[in-house]
Amino acid sequence: MSTTVGPVDVDALRARLDRATAAASTAGLDALLIAPGSDLRYLIGAGGSSFERLTCLVLPVGGTPLLVVPKLEHPGYADVPTGALGVDVATWVDGEDPYALVHRALKGTRHAVSDMMPALHNLRLRDVIGGEQVLAGPVLRELRMRKDAAEVLALREAGAAIDRVHARMAEWLRPGRTEREVGADIAAAIVAEGHTAAEFVIVGSGPNGASPHHDVSDRVVRAGDVVVVDIGGPVAAGYNSDCTRTYVLGEPAEADVPQTYAVLQAAQRAAVEAVRPGVTCEAVDAAAREVIAAAGFGEHFVHRTGHGIGLDVHEDPYIVGGNDLPLEPGMAFSVEPGVYLPGRWGARIEDIVIVTADGVESVNNRPHELVVLPT
C-alpha cells in the first residue's frame, strides 16, 4: 500500500521531477528507475512498499514519466495527482509482465535504479532491459540533501514534538522499572505528542548506555544510573525526529560522571557552533572529536558525529571524518557526539540542526545539561 505524505504540493513535486530528470541527464543517464520508498515519496508524495509484485516509477530523460503499479495496489496511489504531475500510469495484473512495461517506456541503454530496489526486481529488470545499470543514489541524494522551506517546517515540527516527549521523561524513567517498560511508555508518548509512529526507542541504563545502539532490555533501572534515551519517529509530513538526552536517577553512582559529561557537553556545543555554509562535514566532526580526545576520551567516541535526516532517519550528508563535502543552506543533520565507557556507563547529546544562510538553526531546544530525575 502507498503512504502519502501530508497535503500534496503539486508545484513542488513537479519541480522535483524536473530536477531529477535534469540531474539524470547531466550524469549521462537515460532514465531513473525508482522503487517504492523514500525516493519515490520525495518525487511523487507517496512511498508505498516493495512486494513481490513490481512497482516502479520510470523517469526517462526527454520522455514522459510512467508509474508502473499492480492493479490491486493502484488504489493506494489514488491521492497522487499523476495527471497534474504529467505522470502516466500503467497497471498490470498477475500473469502479465511488468518488466516489459518498464522496458517499453525507456530509451537509451544507461539506467539508474534506486539504491534500495529489491534484488528480486533489480535483477529481472537488468535481464529484460539490458544495457548498463548504475545506482540512482548519487543523483537523488544531491537533490534530497538540500531541504526546501516546506521540508524545514516539517523538521521543525518533528523536533518540537520529540522535545515534548523528552520534557515528560520523569513520568516514566524511575528506579524499579525495566528499560522495556520505560520504552513502551515513551513509544506511546511519541505518538501522543504528534508523531505517526515511534520509529525507534533506545533506553540504555547503567552499563547498557555504553552501547550506542542498545535498544531496550529487561534490565531494571536503579538509583544512581546514568540513562541514555535516544528516540524519534516521523510526523504526518513524513519527516523524522531524532533526539538524544542523557539522564541520571538521583546522585550518579559513578564519581566521574559530572566531569566526563561536561566534556561531552562542550564537544557537542563546539560541533554545533562550527556549522555554517562552506564548512566541511569532516570539520564539524573534528570539532567534536578534538574536544573529547583532548580530555582523554578519544577511544570512547566510537561513531560519526552525525547523519543527515529527512524522509529517512539516516541519509546524506554524513558528518564524519573523510567527508569533505561543504555544507550548504538547507542541509539537515544530527550533531550527536558520545562517550561510552564499556561495562560502566555512557552518554550522548543529540540535536537535529539545519544549515542556514549564515549559520545554523537547531530544531531541538531541550537543555543539554545532565538531567537529574527524582528517585
Side-chain angles (χ1 to χ4, degrees):
M1 295 298 292
S2 165
T3 302
T4 301
V5 179
V8 174
D9 184 333
V10 173
D11 290 339
L13 293 178
R14 189 187 299 113
R16 290 177 184 178
L17 290 167
D18 291 343
R19 287 198 303 271
T21 52
S25 178
T26 300
L29 298 169
D30 297 307
L32 301 176
L33 306 180
I34 309 301
S38 59
D39 285 337
L40 186 65
R41 204 182 315 180
Y42 178 78
L43 291 169
I44 67 170
S49 300
S50 283
F51 301 107
E52 75 277 11
R53 297 179 176 92
L54 177 73
T55 294
C56 180
L57 175 66
V58 184
L59 289 181
V61 173
T64 301
L66 176 70
L67 179 64
V68 175
V69 61
K71 191 169 186 177
L72 69 109
E73 292 171 19
H74 184 239
Y77 292 85
D79 292 335
V80 177
T82 51
L85 294 175
V87 176
D88 290 343
V89 178
T91 62
W92 61 279
V93 297
D94 293 344
E96 296 178 342
D97 185 358
Y99 306 99
L101 294 175
V102 173
H103 192 194
R104 286 198 290 271
L106 294 176
K107 299 177 181 178
T109 59
R110 190 165 189 262
H111 313 112
V113 299
S114 295
D115 291 14
M116 299 303 175
M117 180 177 283
L120 169 72
H121 300 309
N122 190 13
L123 295 178
R124 186 75 179 105
L125 283 168
R126 187 179 64 185
D127 291 343
V128 171
I129 296 169
E132 182 183 0
Q133 214 175 62
V134 298
L135 291 175
V139 171
L140 294 177
R141 75 170 60 106
E142 290 298 316
L143 307 181
R144 291 181 52 184
M145 272 196 300
R146 299 160 185 82
K147 271 55 180 182
D148 61 27
E151 292 175 294
V152 169
L153 284 175
L155 287 169
R156 288 175 183 151
E157 177 189 349
I162 210 66
D163 279 357
R164 292 193 294 271
V165 179
H166 275 293
R168 298 176 56 191
M169 204 56 58
E171 297 179 29
W172 318 297
L173 185 53
R174 56 182 180 270
R177 307 194 75 207
T178 67
E179 293 174 352
R180 198 176 309 280
E181 289 170 335
V182 175
D185 286 339
I186 292 173
I190 288 173
V191 175
E193 292 294 348
H195 297 78
T196 58
E199 183 71 20
F200 56 92
V201 175
I202 293 174
V203 181
S205 64
N208 289 340
S211 175
H213 282 175
H214 166 64
D215 198 6
V216 296
S217 76
D218 291 323
R219 183 183 185 275
V220 176
V221 179
R222 306 168 187 170
D225 277 351
V226 176
V227 185
V228 178
V229 178
D230 184 351
I231 54 179
V235 294
Y239 290 77
N240 286 276
S241 65
D242 186 1
C243 183
T244 308
R245 290 294 184 266
T246 301
Y247 302 86
V248 62
L249 279 294
E251 187 72 19
E254 303 263 11
D256 61 344
V257 169
Q259 296 82 6
T260 304
Y261 187 85
V263 171
L264 176 61
Q265 193 174 349
Q268 205 266 352
R269 181 171 59 249
V272 172
E273 291 175 349
V275 176
R276 62 184 182 277
V279 172
T280 63
C281 293
E282 63 183 355
V284 177
D285 178 82
R289 206 165 296 278
E290 288 167 2
V291 174
I292 292 173
F297 296 105
E299 66 179 302
H300 300 298
F301 179 15
V302 296
H303 55 74
R304 63 198 172 205
T305 294
H307 57 82
I309 192 168
L311 290 170
D312 291 316
V313 177
H314 287 189
E315 60 183 51
D316 288 279
Y318 291 98
I319 310 304
V320 64
N323 186 0
D324 61 359
L325 178 74
L327 298 178
E328 297 180 29
M331 289 183 176
F333 50 86
S334 66
V335 178
E336 52 175 308
V339 174
Y340 310 97
L341 305 176
R344 298 179 59 207
W345 62 280
R348 181 164 64 255
I349 305 169
E350 177 184 18
D351 293 323
I352 299 303
V353 302
I354 301 170
V355 184
T356 65
D358 57 1
V360 61
E361 171 192 350
S362 177
V363 303
N364 298 113
N365 295 290
R366 294 292 301 161
H368 294 94
E369 288 75 24
L370 182 64
V371 180
V372 180
L373 298 180
T375 59

